[in-house]
Amino acid sequence: MDKWECSICGYIYDPEIGDTDHDVKPGTPFEKLPEDWVCPICGAPKDQFVKQ
């Protein structure tokens, strides 16, 4: 699965880890994140992320 980087703060969303701060389970691909999901570091929306 692809990793995605926040273009604002550099946070890397790794689908193998998920996002425990927002109850996103490990194994969740970026494309399956809820539309209202935001970067857990800076709050940027999904459209500010670029595929690594």
Side-chain angles (χ1 to χ4, degrees):
M1 284 188 270
D2 295 317
K3 295 179 182 177
W4 291 72
E5 180 178 2
C6 177
S7 62
I8 307 298
C9 73
Y11 168 80
I12 303 290
Y13 174 75
D14 184 343
E16 292 186 15
I17 296 171
D19 175 12
T20 56
D21 291 343
H22 292 102
D23 295 322
V24 176
K25 295 182 187 251
T28 304
F30 186 81
E31 297 80 8
K32 297 285 185 182
L33 292 172
E35 285 304 312
D36 62 350
W37 181 85
V38 295
C39 176
I41 303 299
C42 72
K46 282 178 67 176
D47 65 2
Q48 295 298 310
F49 280 72
V50 292
K51 190 186 297 187
Q52 293 295 292

